[in-house]
Amino acid sequence: MFQAINSALDIALETDKTALVFGEDVAFGGVFRCSLGLREKYGAERVFNTPLCEQGIAGFGIGVAVTGATAIAEIQFADYIFPAFDQIVNEAAKYRYRSGNLFECGALTFRAPCAAVGHGACYHSQSVESYFAHTPGLKVVVPRGAYTAKGLLLSCIRDKDPCLFFEPKVLYRGATDDVPDGDYEIPIGKAEILVPGKDVTVVGWGTQIHVLREVAELAKEKLGVSCEVIDLMSILPWDEDLVIESVKKTGRILVAHEAQQTCGFGSEIVATIQRECFLHLEAPIMRVTGFDTPFPHVFEPFYLPTIWRCFEGIKKLMEY
Amino acid sequence: MATGMRKSRHIKIHVNGPKYSTAVPEAAGSTSYLTANRPTTEKLLFSTQYESPMPTYRVLSDCGTEILNPEVNYLVNKEHLEKMYKDMLTLNVMDQILYESQRQGRISFYMTNFGEEACQIGSAGALEPEDLIFAQYREAGVLLYRGYDLDMFMNQCYGNELDEGKGRQMPVHYGSKKLNFVTISSPLGTQLPQAVGAAYQFKISKQNRCVITYFGEGAASEGDAHAAFNFAATLDCPVIFFCRNNCYAISTPCYEQYRGDGIAGRGLGYGIPSIRVDGNDLLAVLHSTRKARDLAISENKPVLIEAMTYRIGHHSTSDDSSTYRSMDEVKEWNSHNHPINRFRNFLEFRGWWNEDMEKEWRSDARKKILKSFNAAEKKKKPAWKELFYDVYHDMPKHIQKQMHEMEEHLKNYGEHYPMKDYRNQS
């Protein structure tokens, strides 16, 4: 997946002469190799290191975008995006609205590695999407692999609103799919049905999608249950219609994410589905998520919404 | 204020302090910054100063009649100086009227610029119209100098249907695309790293423009100020940091804000050429800002200007400053070192201004402002649906849905809402 992201950045720099790539340690290729070779190809003025200061990176990026140029900022880990929270939430998200559309920073994209990696503990594992999903004016996107990463990142970079692009870091080397060399985009705000099914709708994003695919197979094999697996991809705005339609068909839904449960984005999905699909629901909506604790080091196997916790969730939905 | 030291009579942008130098690698890949050219010492010494306090640059003598640095003469142009003086007066009159109108409950909030007129208009007078401005909130004079219409000030404060900001922000949060004045926001210091990003873009696209960003000495304590200074220096950005040091951040006096040599004293630590100027001396502000602009653009460097002034008015209409400072102190600044009086003396001494002109301009300004004010007050607010637009470039489905829900709600409950004050939905 890191090569697909590199390819998206390459295309963005090639096709848009105003585009800049910057952040901590991006010049030598980035700590995850996502910007490898770009400085050599496009020059030190367009691909450069910044001082180590996330609020500065965010504010600087907004300033670049206010002039109309394309700013692609990297935050080294999503865990470290919080120093930039004020710039992102109070500034970037509200720029167009508060100025009556006189000024905007739509040409701004933040990329940040997110989610569990096996041993990342408290500050190299967090899934922070729901903090930003509560902020009108932002778009929040999480790809599940190399193909979606490239298409969605190019969409984010070219979108007319500020975007947060969270890259599940365990997939950088873990996810390898066929990725077209050329330029292509995947629309923001659209989900995708990966596995069609009729008994339970199963919704997730990012790394969790790979867990859910295995759960679907397990459920079929052990319970004879047909799961419809949906990758949400866009958290804000999210594809309500596709999920609603699926739940109206299946009558049951399980939402799974790595982030903590309370006020996680799953809660938003639950509330919407409850309102829109009340008469179709055969069982209470199930959430399988990280626990309401910080992300632990040695306990990671017990913290995550594993295949077996999700399987158990499907079983309960069917037995209800 | 002005020290009267010999040095203060000459403009000097401190590039490298006498006991301090920044070691910057000659070229990418050089490792000279790691070890080379670093002097050693056997003496144990915790440094506390390089040149402290940094002197305050001034041009006008105390009474305002004399020019202390003849180098400034190239900027002494009668028409230009007269325009700047008139703008200071207009700003002062507008502040009085809008402050009173808030007291009468006609607008919800206001912040005056009393005492800081020269900081704003002197610096604005040194810039070119294409230079981009990021302000804090006490810089209405900069916008006025650039030609922002009186009606537009009033429309914004009323949030009426003619407000370009569509009534979404509090009063005094002005912005103008046409005049290159980025819309003001309330969070302090956030505009500083943004200004740096914009300046970087100007540099690499070779636009020959600079960015100026204004902030108070209180905002300079925010983390974003640190971020901005450091990014501007390391990324070589043509940006002028203009700090209005007016001694107070709401109730907090500057001795509770910092313990170093003000804000200018920090510049050198970041490798930024820095200067402290008398903010009540229009010519000193004009001259230093002009030189800063030249330096920023010709060398792609940030420059820091700390303008020493005094906040004569309350922090805002929500503040009563008599609870934390003596009114004698305010009176002292209002009567003895007021930027408008000082500059008026300068103009009068040259026969460029007199009492009659003063009276006439103030009275005309008052009439114009009241006319704009009354017109703005009579206008309707924007259509209520404007609440939902411009959150995104295109309105997403979920917001459309919420807008329609509100529309349905108003069909049934409209009489409980102030519909008549808002423009009809088109």
Side-chain angles (χ1 to χ4, degrees), chain A residues 34-75:
Chain A
C34 289
S35 51
L36 203 63
L38 299 177
R39 185 181 175 94
E40 291 70 23
K41 197 164 169 190
Y42 297 101
E45 273 190 343
R46 297 184 65 197
V47 181
F48 52 94
N49 288 338
T50 65
L52 203 167
C53 179
E54 286 76 15
Q55 66 195 99
I57 293 169
F60 181 90
I62 293 169
V64 169
V66 164
T67 67
T70 299
I72 308 166
E74 178 178 306
I75 301 291

Side-chain angles (χ1 to χ4, degrees), chain B residues 136 169 180 189 253 256 258 282 292 426:
Chain B
Q136 180 166 304
Q169 287 210 88
N180 286 313
E256 289 173 7
Y258 54 74
L282 185 126
S426 51

Side-chain angles (χ1 to χ4, degrees), chain B residues 106-303:
Chain B
R106 294 163 80 181
I107 57 175
S108 63
F109 179 78
Y110 195 69
M111 300 177 106
T112 65
N113 302 281
F114 298 137
E116 299 181 38
E117 293 88 347
C119 291
Q120 300 177 20
I121 288 159
S123 57
L127 302 170
E128 297 299 327
E130 65 270 22
D131 295 335
L132 186 64
I133 295 167
F134 285 80
Q136 180 166 304
Y137 49 60
R138 215 181 296 283
E139 292 90 3
V142 175
L143 205 42
L144 187 75
Y145 176 88
R146 289 213 160 182
Y148 200 58
D149 201 73
L150 289 174
D151 292 341
M152 295 304 282
F153 284 107
M154 311 301 151
N155 291 337
Q156 199 283 330
C157 287
Y158 270 108
N160 68 23
E161 59 178 315
L162 298 176
D163 170 25
E164 285 190 308
K166 303 182 187 170
R168 293 176 184 142
Q169 287 210 88
M170 284 173 79
V172 313
H173 290 55
Y174 309 114
S176 172
K177 181 81 177 170
K178 198 177 72 185
L179 300 174
N180 286 313
F181 189 100
V182 178
T183 300
I184 290 167
S185 73
S186 308
L188 284 185
T190 49
Q191 78 280 18
L192 295 171
Q194 294 172 15
V196 176
Y200 183 84
Q201 208 277 330
F202 287 172
K203 176 185 78 167
I204 65 165
S205 55
K206 303 192 169 46
Q207 294 198 29
N208 230 24
R209 321 156 66 175
C210 76
V211 177
I212 186 166
T213 177
Y214 295 89
F215 56 104
E217 88 286 352
S221 296
E222 292 282 2
D224 276 333
H226 160 66
F229 298 152
N230 200 27
F231 276 54
T234 56
L235 297 168
D236 301 313
C237 300
V239 56
I240 302 170
F241 294 109
F242 193 103
C243 178
R244 300 174 290 93
N245 189 337
N246 64 13
C247 306
Y248 287 94
I250 308 187
S251 74
T252 306
C254 55
Y255 57 85
E256 289 173 7
Q257 199 64 246
Y258 54 74
R259 281 294 156 91
D261 180 22
I263 310 306
R266 296 176 197 169
L268 298 187
Y270 290 100
I272 299 178
S274 304
I275 190 169
R276 173 172 292 143
V277 305
D278 181 346
N280 289 7
D281 175 343
L282 185 126
L283 289 181
V285 175
L286 177 72
H287 191 208
S288 56
T289 311
R290 188 69 210 177
K291 286 283 184 185
R293 184 183 191 272
D294 294 345
L295 184 63
I297 290 184
S298 64
E299 297 189 30
N300 281 323
K301 259 195 181 127
V303 186

Side-chain angles (χ1 to χ4, degrees), chain B residues 50-70:
Chain B
Y50 30 94
E51 184 182 342
S52 181
M54 197 182 279
T56 303
Y57 175 62
R58 66 171 182 161
V59 171
L60 289 173
S61 56
D62 287 338
C63 53
T65 52
E66 202 190 332
I67 284 190
L68 301 173
N69 178 9

